[in-house]
Every structure is written in C-alpha cells, then in structure tokens.
C-alpha cells in the first residue's frame, strides 16, 4: 500500500512511465524505512575507486560480495549499489531480496583525469533485475560534457525499459580548486546539474559553509550558513525545490557520533537520507548493524 509520503514523492516525477515509478516505489518501500520517504542505501564501489586493500582489509569479510548483500538485507536498508562484478557475484542468491543499483561507470586511484570509464550497461541492469543505474559526473572537469552526454544516452535507454537513474554529482577538476569541492555554492550547483540532466535520485556530498565562486558570493551574503541542516536545506532547494530525491554520501570513515549528527542534519534539512558505504562496511558486522539500526531510528525521528 502506497503511503502519503511515497505518493507525494512519486507525484513529482510527472513525465516518467509506470516502470520507472514502480522501481522508485520499490526503493522507497523497501526495508525498515519503507513508506517514510527516507532512504539508506549501501554503496560498495570503493574497490574500483581506491583498491581492495584500502577498502576491505580493515574488515576482511567485506572482500566477499555476498557480505554486502547480506548486510544491506539484514540492516533493513532501501537498496544496495555496486559495480557489475559485485552485483553479478550475488545476483542469483539474493534475487528479489533488496532493490539493486548498478553503478555503470567507475574510476581508479591511478588516473589523473577527472573522468570515469563506462563499465556496465542498461542491458546488464535489466538482466540483473536492478531498480536503477548509477552514474558519476564531475562538474568542473573538462571531461564533464562527455560524461553528461554518456548519461543522457544511458538514462534515456534505462527509462525506456522502466529503470530509474541515480546520479553521483561530485564537483572536481578544471578550474575548481580542491578547497572548493565541498563549498556550499558548488555543491548546490552540482546537485542542480544532476537534476537538470534527469536524475531520479541525486547523490551529493554534504557541503561546507565555504562559498567558492566569486560571482555567487552576493547571492549568499547576509546569511549564516554555519548550521549543516541549513546547508542541506539549500541543496534540497536546488533540486527543483525538493521535487527530486536527494541523498547524501557518508564520505570517508569517521567517528560514529559524526555519522549520527550528519543524519540528524540531513533529516532536519529535508534530505531524503544517506548513501553510506565505508562508514558501515569497514566496521565489524555487529558494529555496522548497530550503526545502521541507529541511523534508521534517526530517520524515523526516534533518536
């Protein structure tokens, strides 16, 4: 049964076909947050980005793709996102137990260009029963125009077979300095770009209070951006005044209290939830489950 919260979200996707809406419904209705309009997604693409040892050695059980499927299911999460090989390795055993998101492009830590290779297809997503494809763009990069053209084609193909699109929008490259990658104005711009190119779910990083673009400073002047919840609210506002689902990445491993505070601020700012990888799977399973349990309670307003 569709809840009012889910129905309100789905009503914002006015041009989408029943297949896409059905897959968004599956993600929004899965697990312990099902029906609330809030999400927690487990992403495990760090092996591609950082290498297996940096990603999994701290918790060797995490070398096994089945571990991540089972963690997401046992924690009652909304979806599990991973590259092609990770999903294929558990696709049969865990079929239908949790919505999956096929990450269809990836980078590695040796490359110098702010770009990613296309590593999966819509056909793969359809074959594996995925609810969505995931794709990273790097606003600011000289290669972002090519990346946007790639996801335009992939999104069109995915929508034609009823599969939703999640866009990771991470500013970097070009004239953007490292110090500006997490700036509030830059993050809001990146989220808006993801919305403009057709993301059904926008994934961005939590922004700092820094304003990077000289031309944007006047628009932000006279406002206090020290409260992270207010910064989240602005990012959500930048995604069509909240008409798109917006989730925030967990980022690098950090203390549990910081993870919980991030979730409280996302909730207070009107964000739809967290897409949190290293901060969970790099902990022992019992600790990860306890952390995810508390995050669920936070998003339910019980912590």
């Amino acid at each position: 049964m569709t809840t009012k919260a889910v129905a309100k979200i789905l009503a914002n996707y006015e041009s989408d076909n029943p297949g896409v809406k059905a897959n968004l419904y599956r993600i929004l209705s899965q697990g312990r947050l099902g029906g609330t309009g809030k999400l927690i997604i487990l992403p495990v693409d760090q092996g591609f980005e950082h290498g297996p040892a940096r990603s999994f050695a701290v918790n060797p059980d995490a070398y096994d793709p089945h571990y991540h499927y089972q963690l997401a299911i046992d924690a009652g999460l909304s979806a599990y996102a991973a590259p092609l090989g990770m999903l294929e390795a558990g696709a049969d055993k865990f079929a239908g137990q949790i919505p999956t998101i096929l990450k269809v492009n990836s980078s590695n830590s040796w490359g110098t260009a702010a770009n990613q290779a296309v590593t999966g297809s819509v056909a793969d997503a359809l074959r594996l029963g995925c609810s969505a494809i995931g794709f990273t763009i790097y606003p600011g990069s000289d290669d972002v125009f090519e990346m946007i053209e790639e996801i335009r084609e992939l999104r069109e193909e995915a929508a034609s077979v009823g599969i939703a699109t999640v866009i990771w929008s991470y500013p970097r490259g070009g004239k953007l300095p490292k110090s500006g990658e997490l700036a509030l104005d830059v993050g809001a711009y990146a989220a808006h770009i993801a919305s403009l190119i057709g993301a059904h779910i926008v994934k961005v990083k939590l922004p700092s209070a820094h304003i990077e673009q000289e031309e944007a400073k006047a628009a932000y002047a006279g406002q206090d951006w020290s409260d992270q919840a207010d910064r989240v609210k602005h990012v959500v506002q930048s995604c069509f005044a909240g008409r798109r689902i917006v989730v925030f990445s967990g980022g690098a491993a950090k203390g549990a209290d910081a993870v919980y505070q991030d979730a409280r601020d996302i909730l207070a700012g009107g964000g739809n939830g967290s897409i949190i990888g290293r901060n969970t799977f790099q902990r022992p399973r019992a600790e990860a489950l306890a952390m995810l349990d508390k995050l669920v309670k936070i998003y339910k307003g019980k912590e």
Side-chain angles (χ1 to χ4, degrees), residues 179-203:
S179 60
E181 289 180 2
L182 294 178
L184 175 59
D185 58 315
V186 173
Y189 194 174
H192 189 65
I193 289 172
S195 300
L196 288 171
I197 59 179
H200 297 101
I201 300 176
V202 175
K203 179 193 176 190

Side-chain angles (χ1 to χ4, degrees), residues 18-97:
V20 169
K21 287 194 173 186
N23 275 313
L24 290 174
Y25 175 85
R26 289 185 184 102
I27 294 170
L28 289 163
S29 301
Q30 176 74 22
R32 294 174 60 198
L33 288 171
T36 65
K38 303 302 177 185
L39 306 171
I40 300 177
I41 298 170
L42 175 67
V44 189
D45 56 344
Q46 291 80 2
F48 235 136
E49 303 293 326
H50 307 296
R54 286 173 60 191
S55 301
F56 307 131
V58 67
N59 179 20
D61 288 341
Y63 280 102
D64 185 350
H66 284 206
Y67 178 84
H68 302 289
Y69 271 102
Q70 199 66 60
L71 178 65
I73 292 165
D74 291 347
L77 302 190
S78 309
Y80 167 48
L84 179 63
M86 292 283 282
L87 290 188
E88 286 187 331
D92 182 60
K93 180 175 180 179
F94 299 100
Q97 295 184 47

Side-chain angles (χ1 to χ4, degrees), residues 282-293:
Q282 288 187 341
R283 287 176 161 84
R285 177 179 158 85
E287 286 184 27
L289 287 172
M291 170 175 279
L292 291 166
D293 176 68

Side-chain angles (χ1 to χ4, degrees), residues 170 203-206 247-251 254 262 273-276:
Y170 289 169
K203 179 193 176 190
V204 287
K205 297 182 179 181
L206 283 162
V247 293
F248 293 84
S249 68
K254 62 184 78 169
D262 284 349
S274 301
I275 180 162
I276 181 168

Side-chain angles (χ1 to χ4, degrees), residues 20-254:
V20 169
K21 287 194 173 186
N23 275 313
L24 290 174
Y25 175 85
R26 289 185 184 102
I27 294 170
L28 289 163
S29 301
Q30 176 74 22
R32 294 174 60 198
L33 288 171
T36 65
K38 303 302 177 185
L39 306 171
I40 300 177
I41 298 170
L42 175 67
V44 189
D45 56 344
Q46 291 80 2
F48 235 136
E49 303 293 326
H50 307 296
R54 286 173 60 191
S55 301
F56 307 131
V58 67
N59 179 20
D61 288 341
Y63 280 102
D64 185 350
H66 284 206
Y67 178 84
H68 302 289
Y69 271 102
Q70 199 66 60
L71 178 65
I73 292 165
D74 291 347
L77 302 190
S78 309
Y80 167 48
L84 179 63
M86 292 283 282
L87 290 188
E88 286 187 331
D92 182 60
K93 180 175 180 179
F94 299 100
Q97 295 184 47
I98 188 166
T100 52
I101 299 166
L102 174 61
K103 186 67 165 52
V104 295
N105 71 338
S106 292
S107 185
N108 67 68
S109 59
W110 300 321
T112 57
N115 202 342
Q116 297 205 356
V118 175
T119 56
S121 68
V122 172
D124 289 324
L126 197 61
R127 171 175 58 87
L128 295 171
C130 297
S131 291
I133 58 168
F135 191 93
T136 295
I137 62 169
Y138 294 135
S141 166
D142 293 335
D143 294 325
V144 74
F145 305 105
E146 176 188 345
M147 301 179 87
I148 288 173
E149 290 172 358
E150 288 171 346
I151 188 53
R152 186 205 66 76
E153 293 182 1
L154 286 164
R155 181 204 179 278
E156 181 180 32
E157 184 182 356
S160 74
V161 293
I163 293 175
T165 295
V166 184
I167 294 181
W168 280 235
S169 194
Y170 289 169
R172 68 183 62 170
K175 295 182 178 179
L176 183 65
K178 188 75 176 175
S179 60
E181 289 180 2
L182 294 178
L184 175 59
D185 58 315
V186 173
Y189 194 174
H192 189 65
I193 289 172
S195 300
L196 288 171
I197 59 179
H200 297 101
I201 300 176
V202 175
K203 179 193 176 190
V204 287
K205 297 182 179 181
L206 283 162
S208 71
H210 173 62
I211 307 301
E212 173 65 28
Q213 302 167 99
E214 198 62 40
E215 300 88 342
K217 288 183 177 178
Y220 290 89
Q223 300 175 75
D224 180 4
W225 295 106
S226 59
D227 189 332
Q228 183 167 248
D230 288 337
R231 302 196 295 270
V232 167
K233 185 176 181 180
H234 178 58
V235 172
V236 172
Q237 179 186 40
S238 299
C239 295
F240 302 162
R243 289 182 176 272
R244 291 296 176 264
I245 298 166
V246 187
V247 293
F248 293 84
S249 68
K254 62 184 78 169

